[in-house]
Amino acid sequence: MEYLKIFFDGGSRGNPGPSSVGVVLYDHKGNKIEEISEYIGNMTNNAAEYIALEKALDAAEKYDVKKIILITDSQLVHNQLKKTWKLKNQNLQKIYIKIIEKLKRYSLVDLRLVPREQNKEADILVNRALDGLNNKDQGISFGNIED
């Protein structure tokens, strides 16, 4: 595999509030190879965005690639990683340091900032995890049954 193309998103309902991440990995031919939709606890939206990236990089480790394209709609994550904006929040700095170490494993990291509409698939996974959390709170498990 030449490279991975990874869409990632994090979100919270309330800030801070229940939070989740969504990640979609594609191979260099455009085939979807993995997706993550996971509840991550109560935190801020910014923390959820960083954790989404961390989970994306953890998933990417399974694949033997040295180049990755990372796609986000988070101006904060994009601009702090590109060092356009300063990172002042101590809690985010801990996650940031781990992410930088993981990014050093790659010979090329292409970090792209896109409008939210172009990151819809990861956003849907964020909301799916949060919606699932709400359903679990009610003792209801919604899903589809093939007939």
Side-chain angles (χ1 to χ4, degrees):
M1 204 176 321
E2 291 179 36
Y3 62 87
L4 293 176
K5 188 174 191 178
I6 306 168
F7 293 81
F8 67 94
D9 195 18
S12 64
R13 293 196 177 148
N15 201 17
S19 302
S20 65
V21 298
V23 177
V24 186
L25 288 86
Y26 291 90
D27 67 14
H28 67 280
K29 294 180 180 177
N31 300 308
K32 186 190 302 184
I33 56 174
E34 189 172 343
E35 65 180 34
I36 300 166
S37 177
E38 185 179 328
Y39 172 72
I40 56 172
N42 277 7
M43 61 189 59
T44 66
N45 188 67
N46 291 341
E49 294 280 7
Y50 269 105
I51 289 173
L53 175 53
E54 184 178 24
K55 297 245 180 213
L57 294 172
D58 289 345
E61 277 184 46
K62 293 180 268 190
Y63 305 94
D64 188 27
V65 295
K66 291 294 178 194
K67 299 175 184 175
I68 55 173
I69 301 169
L70 297 171
I71 301 168
T72 182
D73 59 26
S74 170
Q75 286 187 355
L76 179 92
V77 170
H78 178 269
N79 289 328
Q80 287 179 340
L81 285 172
K82 293 272 192 167
K83 297 194 181 219
T84 307
W85 293 356
K86 290 184 180 179
L87 176 59
K88 298 175 186 173
N89 182 297
Q90 299 260 329
N91 292 328
L92 293 182
Q93 283 180 346
K94 293 173 188 173
I95 303 167
Y96 177 89
I97 290 167
K98 286 195 279 184
I99 287 169
I100 293 300
E101 286 307 308
K102 292 175 189 216
L103 290 173
K104 288 179 182 177
R105 298 177 187 152
Y106 298 94
S107 62
L108 180 63
V109 176
D110 181 352
L111 179 62
R112 300 178 183 177
L113 179 64
V114 298
R116 177 173 282 182
E117 303 79 47
Q118 291 179 27
N119 200 22
K120 206 69 163 161
E121 199 170 2
D123 182 64
I124 288 168
L125 294 172
V126 167
N127 286 300
R128 182 184 299 161
L130 288 172
D131 292 343
L133 173 71
N134 291 339
N135 294 334
K136 287 177 191 166
D137 288 345
Q138 300 172 44
I140 301 168
S141 177
F142 289 104
N144 294 319
I145 297 173
E146 296 296 321
D147 207 15

